[in-house]
Amino acid sequence: MRRPMIAGNWKMNGSPADAAVLARELRLALLDLPAVDVVVFPPYLSISGVVDTLKGVDISVGTQDIHPEDGGAFTGNVAGPMIRASGCTFVLVGHSERRSYEKESGSYLARKVQAALRNNLTPIFCCGETLDDRESGRALEVVRTQLREGLGELTPTELSRLVIAYEPVWAIGTGRVASPEQAQEVHAAIRAWIGTTWDSGTARAMRILYGGSVKPGNVVGIMEQEDIDGALVGGASLKAETFEGIVRFQSSRS
Ligand code: PGA
């Protein structure tokens, strides 16, 4: 049985004080956490306040990026050992905004995955096609290439320490969510690819999250799909009330 995971990507929003307020609200809202893993990804400068606020509750904290090296002359970057020392346990790797705006390539992302694993951080590895890719029938091929480039060199043990997030670029921040069936098709293909590239046990155990305009009103249909194990939430994670509504998807279902 794969335990569901709901992750909130706060992106480049809010001051450290705003982030601490949001963390305090989440702490109160999610005191009685359902059987779901919850992770939040604040901006770097807000990490320490959020980690402090969430001490003693079962909500994990992660960073939105990591540098491939563990330290040195890399102005403006943040390394795995610093992330770990700040109390984080998760890292986002390969978010589409970094792939497109920061021009991060597949081989560069593979090094970031290694850096995360080396530093005992759980990478959430993001993949997803553009609207062009989808309309030209290349969605699955593009996603498989991203996965092969980013994860292809991992051993089954390394792979089992990671979470995958499928986020179609055309559904991120657009309000245009993939239908549960469209998402399920890609999730099933990802699981099948893991099964043939590694083995069926690794494929069965892999958590694959869906991301792209997830809200309290559409999360139930998404989570009902067999191969969808959780959600990576952007916009709707910036308000405690809507994020709580997503985390509690099981109670809206029953
Ligand atoms: P969204 O973002 O929920 O605002 O579409 C998702 C993401 O980018 O992770």
Side-chain angles (χ1 to χ4, degrees):
M1 229 344 229
R2 298 183 295 268
R3 188 175 157 95
M5 173 180 284
I6 303 292
N9 174 10
W10 297 358
K11 306 194 180 182
M12 198 172 69
N13 291 297
S15 66
D18 296 332
V21 169
L22 179 53
R24 217 169 302 130
E25 289 170 355
L26 285 179
R27 186 189 166 95
L28 289 176
L30 296 173
L31 268 180
D32 60 324
L33 205 56
V36 172
D37 286 342
V38 178
V39 195
V40 292
F41 293 90
Y44 283 130
L45 293 178
S46 302
I47 294 284
S48 86
V50 171
V51 167
D52 280 351
T53 307
L54 294 178
K55 255 194 198 113
V57 288
D58 225 359
I59 302 177
S60 305
V61 183
T63 55
Q64 299 169 18
D65 189 32
I66 182 172
H67 191 270
E69 298 296 328
D70 281 351
F74 298 99
T75 302
N77 284 301
V78 175
M82 303 167 188
I83 296 172
R84 185 71 216 184
S86 69
C88 291
T89 46
F90 281 80
V91 169
L92 288 180
V93 178
H95 190 280
S96 64
E97 285 149 16
R98 295 206 62 88
R99 286 179 189 269
S100 72
Y101 304 139
E102 312 297 331
K103 309 274 177 284
E104 295 191 350
S105 68
S107 56
Y108 190 60
L109 294 175
R111 293 176 56 214
K112 291 189 173 201
V113 170
Q114 290 290 357
L117 294 175
R118 184 168 70 236
N119 287 288
N120 238 335
L121 295 159
T122 301
I124 298 188
F125 184 82
C126 307
C127 57
E129 82 285 2
T130 64
L131 191 56
D132 250 17
D133 297 330
R134 177 155 285 269
E135 285 176 345
S136 56
R138 286 185 290 119
L140 295 181
E141 182 192 324
V142 165
V143 167
R144 262 189 297 243
T145 302
Q146 291 171 343
L147 293 171
R148 194 178 323 109
E149 289 174 350
L151 311 179
E153 301 297 314
L154 299 184
T155 64
T157 314
E158 287 170 333
L159 193 72
S160 68
R161 292 171 51 203
L162 163 150
V163 175
I164 291 175
Y166 166 61
E167 300 201 298
V169 177
W170 49 272
I172 295 180
T174 58
R176 194 176 153 179
V177 66
S179 71
E181 296 72 24
Q182 276 174 325
Q184 165 59 23
E185 185 195 6
V186 181
H187 282 236
I190 293 173
R191 205 177 297 289
W193 177 78
I194 294 169
T196 50
T197 311
W198 285 273
D199 58 84
S200 59
T202 308
R204 261 196 312 275
M206 175 61 65
R207 284 192 287 188
I208 309 174
L209 316 182
Y210 170 78
S213 300
V214 175
K215 298 187 170 47
N218 58 27
V219 66
V220 176
I222 290 166
M223 291 303 294
E224 271 166 3
Q225 303 301 311
E226 191 181 335
D227 289 293
I228 302 185
D229 307 308
L232 178 53
V233 185
S237 71
L238 293 172
K239 283 211 162 63
E241 196 187 344
T242 47
F243 192 61
E244 182 192 3
I246 295 170
V247 171
R248 295 195 192 281
F249 70 93
Q250 281 156 327
S251 36
S252 359
R253 183 154 62 185
S254 52

